[in-house]
Amino acid sequence: MKIVYEEDKRVDDMSQKINIGIIGFGTIGSSVAKLLLGKRKLFRDRTGIDLNLSLICDKDLRSKRDVKVPRKMLTKDVNKIIYGPDIDVVVELIGGVHPAKEIVIKSLESGKHVVTANKLLLAMHGEEIFKKAEMLDRHILFEASVAGGVPIIKSIREGMISNTFYSIMGILNGTSNYILTQMSREGSSFKAALKEAQSKGYAESNPSFDIKGLDSAHKLAILSYLGFGKRVKMKDIYAEGIENISPVDIEYAKDLGYTIKLLAIAKREGKELTAKVHPALLPNHYLLSSVSGVYNAIFIEADLVGKQLFYGQGAGKQPTSSAILSDIMDISHSILYGRKSGKVVTSKRVEIKNIKKMDEIITRYYLHFSAIDRPGVLANIADILGDYGISIASVVQKERREEHVVPIVMLTHDAKEKNMQMALKRINKLAAIKRKTVLIRLEK
Ligand code: HSE
């Protein structure tokens, strides 16, 4: 169904007005502006609150946007929003760390409440920003920073407030999921699928953030902070992307009954937390395995709710705008009805003491060796794995071409990452191994 948004210019004296300033008039900024103008009546009718878009700031006011706004609503001067006497809520949509950080801090200091979609900023400086907001009794909301339109942050912070979380595991990057899906379904090349994702507006301005697993890691840092009360630094999150996943591995995994997904995983064992992002083989019957295209999903295990799956569009201007508008409305309620800002995480919350080192993690592995088809090669590989206590669950040679390179695909039982890496180092040096062995972890 196509909805046509028209600006509603009527003034309703009964409703209470909240003035909004948007900083960043890009894809998301113009979508939020369009919806603030076009759905103004809907917001007023539903809540009695009049969301008034006062000012939009961007360096570039010339490019054509998808929304028409009066010239007087536009400025290049960010201070007009940060220090604008009438502005109640600043919506930061420029992305990146600088000057977004300064804009957010100055806005809070000048008494504004802030909505941001900036996962990178929050992953790097969230704690400092949240403390600032708390000290100044200002609200800062960031629903759009993780999983686009899926209200996962509100669900963790409010809907599941009484739970102790065991694990939060998700497909958090729409671009990577889109690429893997296109490779698997259409046989597209990695490059072509990435190009498509970029043209649809899913990818970050620097797409290496998407494909190297960094965007997922930023989002995982935010979810870990909320779910486990632990500020996980980026250097403590192991991040590996999908660049080395090839269509043949997707096919071999399929033959074995698995789907390859880029997963962001935060899991606790006692007071220790594992936080990692990497491609993983998931059994086909898992719900997460059927999450395809730009969709995101977050699978949560917690003591009271048990297992829960959240699913929806994780990128794209409309779902992201939906999350931003929800934050704006939430803050407006608080301003008008006198709710204090509250803490994101209190300093008393010490559920997690340390982050598990990647080397110590125990998991199963998929290995794809490119080996010369010759008697004794497999025995060599098995010997080395045996030296490190790694037990083989199954093995299949995919082709038969004597004295030529053939793919040998193996699944192992549980093994320690450190042992696996040491074993592979030795295996990759064997004369019969002709390409770097592909390693993909299995997730249970
Ligand atoms: N580049 C991100 C993604 C956009 O692909 O998921 C939403 O954060």
Side-chain angles (χ1 to χ4, degrees):
M1 182 174 73
K2 185 150 176 60
I3 300 172
V4 178
Y5 303 112
E6 279 168 21
E7 184 177 357
D8 175 34
K9 294 200 173 93
R10 285 172 301 165
V11 174
D12 178 352
D13 290 337
M14 296 302 286
S15 59
Q16 311 206 54
K17 198 164 171 180
I18 293 291
N19 293 319
I20 296 150
I22 296 179
I23 302 177
F25 199 27
T27 311
I28 307 294
S30 42
S31 166
V32 171
K34 187 172 178 174
L35 293 166
L36 277 172
L37 297 174
K39 292 201 167 209
R40 189 167 179 178
K41 180 173 183 310
L42 176 145
F43 294 132
R44 217 162 44 200
D45 289 350
R46 286 192 183 175
T47 65
I49 297 173
D50 183 22
L51 298 182
N52 176 48
L53 176 56
S54 301
L55 212 50
I56 305 170
C57 172
D58 201 286
K59 281 190 297 203
D60 162 24
L61 297 179
R62 287 177 161 248
S63 301
K64 212 170 149 34
R65 267 88 175 184
D66 199 18
V67 56
K68 261 205 179 133
V69 294
R71 186 65 186 83
K72 65 176 189 334
M73 208 184 257
L74 296 171
T75 180
K76 284 187 176 182
D77 182 0
V78 75
N79 290 328
K80 289 214 168 115
I81 292 185
I82 298 177
Y83 300 107
D86 296 334
I87 303 282
D88 301 298
V89 182
V90 173
V91 184
E92 182 277 306
L93 297 174
I94 59 171
V97 176
H98 301 290
K101 183 180 176 200
E102 292 70 23
I103 287 173
V104 167
I105 299 270
K106 282 185 198 162
S107 298
L108 293 168
E109 284 171 348
S110 81
K112 312 300 181 207
H113 302 279
V114 174
V115 172
T116 178
N118 197 329
K119 54 233 154 159
L120 174 64
L121 175 64
L122 296 179
M124 310 292 266
H125 302 286
E127 208 176 14
E128 179 191 340
I129 291 169
F130 298 146
K131 278 207 179 115
K132 185 84 172 179
E134 197 183 304
M135 203 176 77
L136 297 165
D137 193 23
R138 299 292 94 183
H139 294 268
I140 175 150
L141 292 184
F142 46 95
E143 185 64 67
S145 63
V146 181
V150 183
I152 187 64
I153 290 178
K154 210 174 173 66
S155 300
I156 293 179
R157 284 181 79 177
E158 298 176 26
M160 292 183 277
I161 183 69
S162 47
N163 285 259
T164 298
F165 293 92
Y166 301 143
S167 70
I168 300 177
M169 177 162 96
I171 295 171
L172 298 181
N173 185 261
T175 300
S176 297
N177 204 47
Y178 185 84
I179 293 173
L180 291 175
T181 306
Q182 292 301 95
M183 282 166 75
S184 167
R185 281 195 188 154
E186 315 289 338
S188 310
S189 72
F190 179 86
K191 264 195 179 164
L194 171 61
K195 221 169 165 197
E196 247 182 87
Q198 282 177 298
S199 73
K200 290 185 189 248
Y202 304 148
E204 296 301 299
S205 45
N206 178 356
S208 66
F209 275 33
D210 295 298
I211 58 180
K212 287 184 189 296
L214 299 173
D215 177 73
S216 300
H218 298 147
K219 293 166 178 168
L220 188 67
I222 297 172
L223 293 185
S224 299
Y225 191 54
L226 298 173
F228 301 100
K230 178 74 179 168
R231 157 115 166 79
V232 189
K233 297 193 176 122
M234 290 316 293
K235 71 170 176 53
D236 293 329
I237 301 182
Y238 174 82
E240 180 187 316
I242 58 165
E243 291 153 296
N244 297 325
I245 302 295
S246 67
V248 288
D249 289 308
I250 294 178
E251 279 310 304
Y252 296 162
K254 245 188 229 171
D255 291 349
L256 293 163
Y258 294 89
T259 306
I260 300 180
K261 292 288 175 196
L262 180 68
L263 289 187
I265 301 164
K267 260 187 197 168
R268 80 191 300 160
E269 283 165 64
K271 289 195 181 303
E272 194 168 53
L273 187 75
T274 295
K276 56 179 188 163
V277 175
H278 56 69
L281 263 71
L282 277 178
N284 281 339
H285 65 273
Y286 279 24
L287 287 172
L288 280 182
S289 297
S290 49
V291 173
S292 48
V294 73
Y295 280 83
N296 279 192
I298 300 105
F299 183 71
I300 286 186
E301 279 198 82
D303 60 345
L304 305 182
V305 294
K307 296 178 180 178
Q308 295 242 330
L309 182 71
F310 296 80
Y311 169 85
Q313 288 186 66
K317 59 185 181 181
Q318 301 240 30
T320 307
S321 299
S322 166
I324 292 166
L325 291 165
S326 146
D327 281 348
I328 295 174
M329 190 47 90
D330 223 1
I331 290 181
S332 304
H333 268 285
S334 302
I335 298 173
L336 295 172
Y337 306 118
R339 198 175 67 175
K340 291 270 196 188
S341 71
K343 298 179 192 311
V344 174
V345 168
T346 77
S347 56
K348 291 214 167 73
R349 187 171 171 191
V350 196
E351 288 172 46
I352 300 294
K353 286 238 167 87
N354 64 296
I355 310 291
K356 196 166 186 156
K357 297 254 181 309
M358 191 61 189
D359 269 357
E360 299 302 315
I361 287 170
I362 293 175
T363 190
R364 294 186 63 197
Y365 294 87
Y366 161 100
L367 302 171
H368 168 180
F369 305 101
S370 299
I372 301 278
D373 193 359
R374 179 186 298 158
V377 172
L378 192 53
N380 273 194
I381 294 173
D383 266 355
I384 297 177
L385 291 173
D387 287 348
Y388 293 93
I390 299 165
S391 155
I392 298 166
S394 63
V395 59
V396 18
Q397 180 175 326
K398 287 293 189 183
E399 290 163 29
R400 173 77 172 120
R401 290 183 72 209
E402 276 177 72
E403 293 303 321
H404 284 84
V405 181
V406 291
I408 297 174
V409 170
M410 187 180 276
L411 293 183
T412 73
H413 289 296
D414 270 342
K416 203 185 240 187
E417 179 81 18
K418 191 177 179 183
N419 293 348
M420 179 53 83
Q421 294 298 348
M422 286 193 298
L424 281 191
K425 223 177 182 173
R426 272 180 58 195
I427 292 171
N428 284 334
K429 281 188 189 145
L430 293 175
I433 297 292
K434 293 299 175 196
R435 272 191 289 278
K436 197 172 165 214
T437 302
V438 177
L439 167 155
I440 309 175
R441 299 166 188 88
L442 266 71
E443 190 55 44
K444 294 173 250 189

